[in-house]
Amino acid sequence: MLDFNSRSQTSLHVNAAIDTALVAGNAATPPRSYLGGSRLGHPCERALQFEFTATPKDEGAGFDGRLLRIFGIGHALEDVAVGWLRGAGFDLYTRKGNRPDGEQFGFAVAGGRIRGHVDGIFAGGPTIPGMAFPALWECKTMNAKAWRETSNKGVAIAKPIYAAQVAVYQAYMDAAVPGVADNPALFTAINKDTAELHHELVPFDADLAQRMSDRAVRVLRATDAGELLPRLATAPDFHECRFCPWAERCWSLPA
Ligand code: SF4
């Protein structure tokens, strides 16, 4: 007779071992010493400042095993998508020299205090209406609900933080890859539940890139001056604050 209770115990033990290793590996990873270009579209500048200064998160607010597994699956799926696009005839560069050990494409500005790493650069490919080369590639994995919203409304409305990332990357990568800000980026969203793919051409939004660059400068300047940037909200029950890993700290500090 099958012992279902024992089987669920097996899951508990194996998952606990996996998650313990993931959390330990994450804890051993040195915090970023720079402001990530992919984060500049975060709605709260104070949260960005906490992130940039590696301010400890509230008790119990760090990444747990499940979240780290979600990140891991996302990275793995992005690698799968690279294979699909190359198989379809796209000349997609994800690392310098396109070698597995090559350095990831990216940028470093403001003395290396603002950096970003791009998912890829298209140097050529099949004829797609509106697409020209070189073009930036940005890929995200999403659950079905987020994917449906993104494919229906477009990335700029459904996921403004990703649209900001694309604009910033186009702006900062143009020096290294001339023309990448002249051509629309290709934004790919993978539905993790159904394997559906959404692809969207995103023209360069210079105003958005400038606004994000200005935010980055505000975060750096305030940090250098020892000042705390203002909160996003006036009450801790604001949606963004309820999920913020620095909420307790933030609301115990002066406005
Ligand atoms: S709790 Fe709210 S205001 Fe404070 S850093 Fe987080 S998101 Fe910003």
Side-chain angles (χ1 to χ4, degrees):
M1 195 169 99
L2 289 172
D3 183 350
F4 290 103
N5 192 42
S6 163
R7 205 160 61 189
S8 73
Q9 286 297 312
T10 306
S11 275
L12 278 178
H13 287 298
V14 176
N15 285 342
I18 289 172
D19 289 355
T20 300
L22 284 173
V23 170
N26 185 56
T29 307
R32 282 204 296 217
S33 58
Y34 57 87
L35 189 52
S38 63
R39 305 290 298 151
L40 293 178
H42 189 290
C44 181
E45 293 186 5
R46 181 180 284 200
L48 271 179
Q49 191 178 15
F50 284 146
E51 193 169 306
F52 173 55
T53 53
T55 301
K57 294 175 179 168
D58 296 340
E59 184 78 35
F63 296 144
D64 62 10
R66 194 183 77 91
L67 208 52
L68 293 167
R69 281 184 268 129
I70 289 172
F71 293 157
I73 289 168
H75 290 315
L77 279 182
E78 285 169 20
D79 288 342
V80 172
V82 169
W84 289 335
L85 287 162
R86 285 184 179 150
F90 286 97
D91 191 8
L92 175 59
Y93 285 76
T94 56
R95 293 182 176 273
K96 288 181 182 164
N98 247 1
R99 295 190 323 266
D101 61 344
E103 201 185 323
Q104 204 178 356
F105 283 113
F107 60 84
V109 294
R113 300 174 85 198
I114 306 169
R115 296 187 204 183
H117 300 96
V118 307
D119 286 337
I121 302 282
F122 291 107
T127 302
I128 306 289
M131 190 168 188
F133 304 102
L136 183 87
W137 181 56
E138 185 55 42
C139 180
K140 301 290 183 196
T141 55
M142 302 176 186
N143 62 27
K145 183 168 175 273
W147 185 89
R148 273 196 303 274
E149 194 188 2
T150 304
S151 59
N152 287 337
K153 297 179 181 169
V155 65
I157 291 175
K159 297 284 173 194
I161 189 169
Y162 297 156
Q165 178 183 358
V166 168
V168 166
Y169 281 19
Q170 283 173 300
Y172 286 141
M173 286 302 293
D174 201 57
V177 187
V180 86
D182 297 327
N183 301 325
L186 185 74
F187 178 80
T188 295
I190 304 173
N191 184 329
K192 281 188 286 190
D193 299 351
T194 66
E196 288 171 285
L197 298 173
H198 166 69
H199 303 287
E200 178 179 343
L201 289 171
V202 184
F204 178 49
D205 185 336
D207 286 346
L208 178 58
Q210 187 61 55
R211 286 203 307 278
M212 295 303 109
S213 175
D214 292 346
R215 298 188 91 193
V217 170
R218 277 197 296 279
V219 171
L220 297 186
R221 284 195 179 146
T223 303
D224 291 345
E227 294 166 359
L228 191 60
L229 283 164
R231 292 191 192 104
L232 161 82
T234 53
D237 61 355
F238 186 74
H239 172 80
E240 201 67 44
C241 302
R242 285 194 289 118
F243 297 99
C244 177
W246 296 281
E248 273 180 36
R249 176 186 298 274
C250 172
W251 289 95
S252 68
L253 292 168

